[in-house]
């Protein structure tokens, strides 16, 4: 039987084959070839789409383009969600590679016409990687606030924080986990974190995600499972007795059993931002 | 320890003295930092020599030096050995007589042990102080507590390995201070606080007698007395460790031994003063073998249950640990089941539960005068331990000792098994073993590799000699048994005589049931050499439920207490699904490009590193620069320094984008450089590395420098706003000021400034904000900056191709000839014993003769011979002598009645040739230069530039523009006396310092009258001689010869000379005031967490238009800095409170206008 640490590696090195195509409406000097890339599930779109940008800039007037945004089947993809979450939420059970449409924002348009094609309602602007870094680090800090009352992350040095970020940015598993390990520790007698940092995403609702306080162990001392969490947060996601399964509960592209202990999931299937991102999607009707 | 203390005190005193003497020496910081005693011709990159120890099948001990190429047989080894375990400083072994021997390697440092005893006296009115004590008092001669009677002649050498170094003597040192002649310290009563001075109420006194004994049995095998027990119980296994747990005391190690009966012994008190230790402590529990791992953690295999035990609680304060904990974790193997297990277990258990006897904890016969507080504690704990073993004598009570037979196990070659307990009977000689050896070996049925059969088996042994299957122990010792076995060929069925190993081995292989609780695997060997366990972390190896300590955190917390059944279901599901996911999402798309390039470029090398822990010294390290391209195309990297901390491999790393500066620190013995980060700048403790050759160092420096610039996106020449600085070695550095460097109230911290080196060699550099930069060399040559970058060791991309020129600099190296007067012969070079070297450096601490003195670094070559230097401050007589009452004192140029010592300075010129973006401005040599700091309107505007010639003349350069920074010609400005420093402010206010230390203000300087009209004398601060001046936009700052920084008060438009000097700070070496009135200095004696630094760049915080003096200092790079100029940085920081951009910035501009008009009229 494989080691639990192998799970960490599998999670980290998960890749989604993706095909980027330029939006048909974009004005180009010549036709743009699609671009194929393996995207890391645990990373963020702006961190990994530099090559895409360069590729499409070749056919556009470079000075015009200020920002690039991506959509899948008409849904703008939020850059501040991990790539794996975006895929699981919008595109699981579809044919691979994942087909993403690239839209470019033009400087002139943004300046002169207020009604730009940029979906301001859905997307945040991402002007540089430092914005992502800030978002990523604040997620880690939020997660540690839930797990350890921020004690671990506050004890770290600035260079440790930097190492977490650099690890993610440069896809360095060892570098990242050398520090992240500390964030995953907990006092043995408590049997887990204070609260499990989790977010439940759903496609069917306008709410961005569900995030509440939830402990890994019940007051009676029983270990909470994934099923327990869903029962409390999102009972509709669970199948009623004898009923056809209506929803899939997906984490990192897999469906863990509902009896999986939540603490274990949090330690092993959390994203680098230390949150357990759970996607609830409708079961595909074949 | 006390001896060490004394030594330390002496060294400390010396340091204080030297520090006081070298304060005024500019070169002090870097040279003392990098100074290492001139070791004669030791190649700098050699690894410290260490030894690999081995025992051959005949029991001969060999050592192989890391510097050698052949095995050397251990001298003095009449004894055959069966097992050795080595530490860096010594080697322990079990000889064939079953005693433990110790071989301490000879070294320059003698092993000394200090014996001490206290003589106690009480005062009575009749005799005064006498040895007549009260009945309740302590012994006349006692230990420090007074409880032990310790007359001088009671001290015996612990063994023949020791000799007395001398006789007893009185310690005339008390808490670091010398006492009266007799060494007494006084108190009101025993026991109390002692003082070295006798007081009216001192009723008792005591003094300490000291005697040193020296370990003489170097490089020979010295027998360690074994524990006296009723029955002989030979040692069968030893293992030493102890390099990790604590630095102190030096040379301490842990030695553990196991006897044939399974008794575990710990050798206590082994340290550098007492290499053979002071006694054995018996441990609870029976083991068949023992192994000391990293961090001194001890692992053993139980002789009865064959479980692997971990010694819990081994800490620096309790080296022998607390208790044995069985490691009870399941194995992952799915092996076939064997029904033989129960039987085997029984037989094994039966055999190995040999006689057990409750042992009292007796220390051996060695005198144990060492205070063993920790040992004592552990002793008590051990004896009172609740789990004291069962007294279970068996009918085999004497048999196992006499005839412990064992056979070579019949196991498969891949199983990791070695022989268990085996020993030759004590009466047997080794000769027959030797003769029988090879023959028997050929009969071996074990399909082990040929190297076992080769007679020089030791050659292929791994360094961890006592570990592993190839342990020679069975080869040499068990020959006899094997021989015997041959004759009997399997006839032995007696349980007591059967080697249980074979059955155990079978059993181990056949063992199954990972979740078994009652049954556990039977182990044969354990090695902790690779297993690092912090003493404060908790392992998950032991029974989870039994060991829920609340204060410890789980190491990896990968263990969640869930039942196996649950594990199977959900865990399996996750693993399966993950591998399915991989198949689904990745297998068909492997040809796709990866989004994040893993292109990593690594340069590796070996260097030496000035290690972080004490005692600081150069150690060999591997150095690597890992570079990778970031997602935005920017390059970044990490530096790794791999070193050995005792036996453990560790590394240190720094992100390239955090490196703030790389400083070459060449001296005559090392090609070293220092790497700073903001953190290390604060601590005043850079990463110091030394390359084997100069070329290698330059390669690394150039590469690292490019890497640092890349990660920060810096390239090309410095900007016009750049801040320039110079180290006291003459290296030039430049830093790009961030916009918020002068921001209020939160400027960029000074230690975060990134500095890069520019080729060339200068002593002074001055710039202004339109990019005009001038420099002055050590030989006073004037240089003008060409606009290039690189040069020096920077090659290729890091250097501009044109405008790099050859630069030559010459400086003097000084040594001092010291003499003392005596009535008979007058002044001679015969000094007092306490005097300095008769040929020394300025401090007198280092001997510097004409012949041994080398140029400052390999870059420099001598260009003259030694000559007497008459230009010393204080003056000299005709022969160059300066006189003083004593060393060190203030010297004067003529002899008086009170003078008993004299010295004179010798100088020798050396020359350096390098390249850099500098062009010479002939022909007048300069000593100071200043350029108008404010921004010029256009590039053709002529920029005022003033200078002081080497002779003290004031000069004005004509024709200096941004396009022709060198100007055209000098205009001489007349003065009454020679000058030494000059500065021009943003409004053309010119201030200068004369050689006599007073200040002058030049009137009527304007663009129409660039040279002004006359000098106004401005008195210096009382009793102080000024030496340097810097004028910013409006502020005037000066530094005096005693390091005080002065601000000119009352400078107004109508009275630009100001009214008085206000003291700002002391310990200042140089000041630079800039066009924003920003104030930067080079400061001395800046406190860091690791050291005091002289020559540190500091920034004045809180400088505002209405508060030009600022509030406090922010500390930047240093020490070892000599000069800084911030006069190029005219970038107004962003001002948050300004309402709109259309408005003119009110205050600063108005100020300038007022001032300039004031000066104009």
């Amino acid at each position: 039987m494989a080691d639990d640490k192998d799970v960490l590696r599998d999670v980290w090195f998960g890749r989604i084959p993706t095909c980027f195509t330029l939006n048909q409406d974009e004005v180009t000097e010549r036709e743009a070839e699609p671009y194929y890339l393996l995207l890391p599930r645990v990373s963020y779109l702006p961190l990994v789409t530099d090559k895409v940008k360069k590729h499409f800039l070749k056919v556009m007037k470079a000075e015009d383009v200020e920002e690039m945004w991506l959509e899948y089947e008409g849904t703008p993809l939020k850059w501040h969600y991990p790539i794996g979450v975006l895929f699981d939420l919008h595109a699981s059970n579809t044919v691979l590679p994942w087909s993403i449409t690239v839209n470019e924002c033009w400087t002139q348009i943004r300046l002169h016409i207020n009604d730009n094609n940029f979906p301001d309602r859905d997307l945040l602007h991402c002007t540089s990687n430092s914005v992502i870094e800030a978002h990523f680090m604040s997620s880690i800090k939020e997660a540690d606030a839930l797990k350890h009352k921020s004690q671990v992350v506050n004890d770290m040095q600035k260079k440790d924080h930097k190492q977490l970020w650099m690890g993610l940015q440069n896809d360095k598993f060892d570098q990242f986990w050398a520090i992240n390990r500390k964030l995953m520790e907990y006092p043995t007698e408590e049997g887990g974190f204070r609260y499990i940092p989790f977010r439940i995403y759903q496609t069917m609702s306008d709410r961005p995600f569900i995030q509440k306080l939830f402990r890994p162990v019940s007051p009676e001392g029983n270990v909470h499972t994934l099923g327990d969490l869903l029962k409390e947060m999102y009972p509709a996601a669970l199948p009623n007795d004898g009923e056809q399964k209506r929803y899939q509960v997906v984490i990192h592209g897999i469906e863990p059993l509902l009896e999986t202990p939540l603490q274990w999931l949090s330690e092993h299937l959390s994203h680098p931002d230390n949150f357990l991102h759970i996607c609830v999607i409708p079961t595909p009707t074949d | 320890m006390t001896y060490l203390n004394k030594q330390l005190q002496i060294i400390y005193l010396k340091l204080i003295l030297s520090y006081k003497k070298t304060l005024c020496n500019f070169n002090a910081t870097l040279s003392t930092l990098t100074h290492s005693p001139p070791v004669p011709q030791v190649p700098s990159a050699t690894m410290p020599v260490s030894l690999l120890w081995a025992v051959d099948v005949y029991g001969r001990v060999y050592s192989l030096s890391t510097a050698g190429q052949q095995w050397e047989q251990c001298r003095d080894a009449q004894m055959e050995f069966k097992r050795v375990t080595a530490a860096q400083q010594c080697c322990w072994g079990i000889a064939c007589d079953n005693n433990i021997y110790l071989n301490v390697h000879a070294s320059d440092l003698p092993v000394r042990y200090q014996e001490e005893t206290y003589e106690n006296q009480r005062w009575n009115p009749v005799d005064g102080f006498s040895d007549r004590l009260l009945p309740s008092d302590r012994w006349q001669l006692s230990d420090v507590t007074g409880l032990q009677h310790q007359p001088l002649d009671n001290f015996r050498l612990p063994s023949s390995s020791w000799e007395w170094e001398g006789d007893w003597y009185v310690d005339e040192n008390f808490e670091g201070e010398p006492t009266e002649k007799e060494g007494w310290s006084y108190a009101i009563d025993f026991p109390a606080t002692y003082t070295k001075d006798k007081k009216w109420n001192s009723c008792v006194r005591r003094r300490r007698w000291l005697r040193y004994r020296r370990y003489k049995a170097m490089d020979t095998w010295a027998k360690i007395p074994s524990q006296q027990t009723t029955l002989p119980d030979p040692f069968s296994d030893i293992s030493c460790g102890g390099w990790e747990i604590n630095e102190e005391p030096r040379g301490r190690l842990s030695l553990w031994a196991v006897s044939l009966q399974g008794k575990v012994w710990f050798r206590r008190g082994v340290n550098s003063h007492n290499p053979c230790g002071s006694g054995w402590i018996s441990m609870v529990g029976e083991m068949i073998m023992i192994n000391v791992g990293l961090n001194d953690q001890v692992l053993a295999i139980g002789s009865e249950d064959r479980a692997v035990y971990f010694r819990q609680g081994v800490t620096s304060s309790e080296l022998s640990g607390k208790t044995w904990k069985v490691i009870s974790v399941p194995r992952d193997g799915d092996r076939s089941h064997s029904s033989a297990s129960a039987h085997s277990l029984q037989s094994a258990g039966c055999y190995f539960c040999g006689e057990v006897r409750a042992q009292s904890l007796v220390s051996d016969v060695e005198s144990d005068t060492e205070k063993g507080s920790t040992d004592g504690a552990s002793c008590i704990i051990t004896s009172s331990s609740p789990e004291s073993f069962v007294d279970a004598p068996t009918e085999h009570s004497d048999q196992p000792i006499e005839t412990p037979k064992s056979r070579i196990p019949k196991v498969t070659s891949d199983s990791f098994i070695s022989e268990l307990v085996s020993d030759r009977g004590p009466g047997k000689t080794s000769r027959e073993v030797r003769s029988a050896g090879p023959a028997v070996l050929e009969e071996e049925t074990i399909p082990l590799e040929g190297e076992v059969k080769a007679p020089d088996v030791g050659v292929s042994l791994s360094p961890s000699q006592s570990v592993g299957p190839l342990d020679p122990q069975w080869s040499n010792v068990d020959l006899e048994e094997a021989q015997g076995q041959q004759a009997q060929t399997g006839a032995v069925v007696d349980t007591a005589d059967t080697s249980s190993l074979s059955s155990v081995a079978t059993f181990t292989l056949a063992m199954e049931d990972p979740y078994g609780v009652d049954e556990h695997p039977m182990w044969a060997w354990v090695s902790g050499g690779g297993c690092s366990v912090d003493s404060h972390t908790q392992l998950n190896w032991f029974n989870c439920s039994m060991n829920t300590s609340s204060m410890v955190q789980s190491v990896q917390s990968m263990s969640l207490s869930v039942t196996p059944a649950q594990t199977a279901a959900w865990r399996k599901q996750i693993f399966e699904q993950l591998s399915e996911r991989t198949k689904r999402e990745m297998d068909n798309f492997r040809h796709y490009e990866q989004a994040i390039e893993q292109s990593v470029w690594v340069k590796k090398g070996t260097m030496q590193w000035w290690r972080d822990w004490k005692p600081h010294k150069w150690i060999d390290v591997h150095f690597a620069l890992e570079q990778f391209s970031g997602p935005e195309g920017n390059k970044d990297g990490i530096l790794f320094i791999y070193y050995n901390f005792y036996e453990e491999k560790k590394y240190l790393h720094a992100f390239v984008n955090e490196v703030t500066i790389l400083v070459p620190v060449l001296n005559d013995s090392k090609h070293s450089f220092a790497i700073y980060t903001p953190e290390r700048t604060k601590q005043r403790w850079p990463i110091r590395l030394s390359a084997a050759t100069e070329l290698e160092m330059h390669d690394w420096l150039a590469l690292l420098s490019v890497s640092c610039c890349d990660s920060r996106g810096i390239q090309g020449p410095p900007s016009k706003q750049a801040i320039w600085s110079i180290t006291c070695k003459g290296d030039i550095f430049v830093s790009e000021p961030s916009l918020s460097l002068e921001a209020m109230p939160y400027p960029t911290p000074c230690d975060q400034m990134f500095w890069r080196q520019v080729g060339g060699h200068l002593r002074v550099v001055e710039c202004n904000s339109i990019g005009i930069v001038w420099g002055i060399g050590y030989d006073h040559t004037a240089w003008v900056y060409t606009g290039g970058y690189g040069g020096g060791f920077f090659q290729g991309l890091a250097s501009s191709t044109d405008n790099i020129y050859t630069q030559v600099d010459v400086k003097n190296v000084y040594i001092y000839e010291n003499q003392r007067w005596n009535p008979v012969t007058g002044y001679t070079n015969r000094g007092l014993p306490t005097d300095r070297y008769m040929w020394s450096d300025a401090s007198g601490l280092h001997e510097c003769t004409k012949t041994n003195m080398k140029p400052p670094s390999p870059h420099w070559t001598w260009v003259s011979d030694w000559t007497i230097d008459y230009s010393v401050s204080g003056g000299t007589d005709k022969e160059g002598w300066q006189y003083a009452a004593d060393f060190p004192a203030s010297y004067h140029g003529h002899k008086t009645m009170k003078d008993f010592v004299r010295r004179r300075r010798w100088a020798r010129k050396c020359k350096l040739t390098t390249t850099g973006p500098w062009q010479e401005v002939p022909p007048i040599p300069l000593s100071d230069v200043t350029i108008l700091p404010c921004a010029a309107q256009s590039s053709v505007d002529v920029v005022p530039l003033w200078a002081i010639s080497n002779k003290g003349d004031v000069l004005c350069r004509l024709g200096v523009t941004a396009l022709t920074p060198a100007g055209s010609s000098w205009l001489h400005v007349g003065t009454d006396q020679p000058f030494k420093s000059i500065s021009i402010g943003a409004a053309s206010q010119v201030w200068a310092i004369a050689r006599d230390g007073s200040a002058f203000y030049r009137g009527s300087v304007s663009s129409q009258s660039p040279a002004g009209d006359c000098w106004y004398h401005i008195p210096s601060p009382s009793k102080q001689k000024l030496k340097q001046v810097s004028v910013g936009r409006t502020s005037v700052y000066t530094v005096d010869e005693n390091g005080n920084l002065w601000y000119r008060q009352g400078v107004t438009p109508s009275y630009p000379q100001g009214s008085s000097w206000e003291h700002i700070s002391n310990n200042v070496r140089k000041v630079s005031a800039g066009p924003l009135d920003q104030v930067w200095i080079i400061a001395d004696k800046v406190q860091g967490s690791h050291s005091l630094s002289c020559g540190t760049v500091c920034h004045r915080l809180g400088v505002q238009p209405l508060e030009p003096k600022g509030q406090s200092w922010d500390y930047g790079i240093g020490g070892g800095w000599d000069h800084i100029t911030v006069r190029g940085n005219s970038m107004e920081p962003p001002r948050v409170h300004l309402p709109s951009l259309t408005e003119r910035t009110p205050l600063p501009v108005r100020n300038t206008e007022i001032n300039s008009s004031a000066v104009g009229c």
Side-chain angles (χ1 to χ4, degrees), chain B residues 94 115 235 276 320 354 369 473 676 885 896 946 968 981 999 1009 1065 1108:
Chain B
I94 301 179
E115 301 281 14
F235 287 109
C276 40
S320 53
T369 48
Q473 180 256 351
Y676 283 89
T896 69
W946 292 64
S968 53
S981 173
S1009 160
S1065 207

Side-chain angles (χ1 to χ4, degrees), chain B residues 286-317:
Chain B
E286 295 136 70
M287 303 292 161
I288 54 156
M289 62 84 51
I290 198 149
N291 186 268
V292 184
L294 298 170
N295 311 19
D296 296 324
Q297 301 306 320
V298 182
L299 293 157
I301 292 182
S303 55
E304 192 157 351
D305 55 2
R306 288 314 181 89
V308 177
Y309 283 89
F310 176 78
R311 187 75 183 169
Q312 207 176 45
V314 173
T315 62
S316 51
S317 57

Side-chain angles (χ1 to χ4, degrees), chain B residues 524-540:
Chain B
W525 204 264
V526 63
S527 167
C531 174
S532 172
V533 182
D534 290 344
S535 53
H536 56 276
T537 47
Q538 187 180 9
L539 293 169
N540 293 325

Side-chain angles (χ1 to χ4, degrees), chain B residues 73-270:
Chain B
Q73 189 174 355
C74 196
R75 290 179 290 133
D76 182 54
Q78 301 89 355
M79 204 75 61
E80 277 93 27
F81 279 79
K82 41 188 192 181
R83 197 173 278 270
V84 289
T85 177
Q88 201 173 5
Q89 68 272 29
C90 62
C91 182
W92 300 77
I94 301 179
C96 283
D97 66 356
N98 295 317
N99 277 307
I100 289 181
Y101 287 80
L102 168 67
N103 189 336
V104 179
H105 310 336
S107 79
D108 302 336
L109 215 64
V111 174
R112 313 167 78 214
Y113 186 86
Q114 177 192 277
E115 301 281 14
E116 64 168 28
T117 192
Y118 283 87
E119 183 181 357
N120 306 301
Q121 293 195 342
R122 181 174 283 282
W123 187 86
N124 67 61
V126 182
D127 312 303
F129 278 106
S130 76
D131 55 5
R132 242 175 286 164
L133 296 164
L134 296 178
S136 62
D137 272 344
R138 47 189 63 196
W139 301 93
Q140 280 122 354
L141 281 157
S142 75
D143 68 348
V144 67
T145 63
L147 299 173
Q148 286 283 331
H149 184 37
Q150 283 188 350
L152 295 180
D153 47 6
N154 261 22
F155 285 86
R156 295 271 177 268
L157 288 171
S159 71
S160 56
S161 306
W162 293 87
E163 64 189 1
W164 291 113
E165 231 179 47
D167 207 350
W168 287 98
Y169 68 95
V170 169
D171 179 18
E172 292 183 345
N173 236 304
F174 180 73
E175 287 171 358
E177 288 177 52
T179 60
E180 298 291 310
K181 203 75 191 138
E182 308 240 274
W184 294 103
S185 59
Y186 298 84
I188 299 171
D189 196 4
F190 299 117
T193 318
Y194 297 89
T195 59
K196 74 184 177 70
D197 300 313
K198 184 158 70 171
K199 297 190 180 131
W200 64 271
N201 60 356
S202 299
C203 294
V204 299
R205 66 177 187 180
R206 70 170 189 189
R207 61 178 170 179
R208 190 162 73 139
W209 289 86
L210 295 178
R211 190 179 193 186
Y212 284 94
R213 57 180 156 92
R214 183 201 292 264
Y215 192 79
K216 66 173 181 184
M218 296 288 193
D219 281 340
T220 66
W221 292 99
K223 184 175 166 183
I224 304 295
S226 61
Q227 190 66 55
Q228 294 298 309
T229 53
T230 45
L231 283 167
D233 185 14
F235 287 109
S236 65
D237 191 13
I238 49 171
S239 181
C240 73
W243 16 82
E244 180 66 11
I245 203 147
N246 204 336
E247 285 182 34
E248 298 291 332
R250 201 165 46 84
R252 193 200 60 69
L253 32 102
S254 295
L255 181 76
W256 293 73
V258 169
S259 74
L260 196 57
Q261 292 184 33
K263 183 161 271 302
V264 181
W265 299 97
F266 174 75
R267 186 78 186 164
R268 65 193 178 98
V270 180

Side-chain angles (χ1 to χ4, degrees), chain B residues 376-487:
Chain B
S378 60
C379 228
I380 292 158
I381 285 164
T382 321
S383 60
S384 64
S385 174
E387 50 169 293
S388 93
F389 47 83
V390 192
D391 192 338
T394 69
E395 60 275 77
H396 306 300
S397 56
D398 52 356
Q399 197 180 6
I401 302 146
E402 204 49 45
T403 57
K405 303 272 184 190
S406 57
R407 259 178 310 194
I408 308 302
K410 310 287 186 287
V411 288
T412 52
S413 60
D414 62 344
S415 58
F416 186 84
I417 302 237
S418 176
E419 180 51 295
L420 304 173
V421 181
S422 61
D423 215 283
R424 282 186 319 112
K428 310 280 167 62
T429 65
S430 55
R431 196 173 300 119
E432 58 185 88
V433 176
R434 198 174 298 164
S435 58
V440 174
L441 276 169
E442 277 163 24
E443 300 287 326
E444 293 299 344
T445 51
I446 307 173
L448 280 173
E449 281 70 45
E451 56 201 52
V452 177
K453 296 179 181 174
D456 54 347
V457 55
V459 181
S460 54
L461 279 179
S462 68
S464 54
Q465 194 269 340
S466 63
V467 185
L470 293 181
D471 194 297
Q473 180 256 351
W474 61 264
S475 317
N476 67 348
V477 180
D478 304 333
L479 303 173
E480 195 183 2
E481 278 78 35
Q483 204 177 21
Q485 296 292 348
Q486 237 181 353

Side-chain angles (χ1 to χ4, degrees), chain B residues 321-369:
Chain B
K322 282 202 165 68
T323 133
W324 293 109
K325 278 220 120 140
V326 69
I327 296 178
S328 61
V329 286
R331 286 170 301 169
D332 66 341
D334 295 310
R335 300 233 168 84
S336 64
H337 204 278
S338 163
S339 58
S341 56
H343 170 73
S344 304
L345 175 65
Q346 203 175 20
S347 67
C350 188
Y351 174 72
F352 281 101
C353 71
E355 185 190 71
V356 181
R357 203 170 285 269
Q359 297 280 356
S360 61
L361 298 158
V362 209
S363 90
D364 66 9
V365 285
E366 294 186 52
S367 83
D368 183 16
T369 48

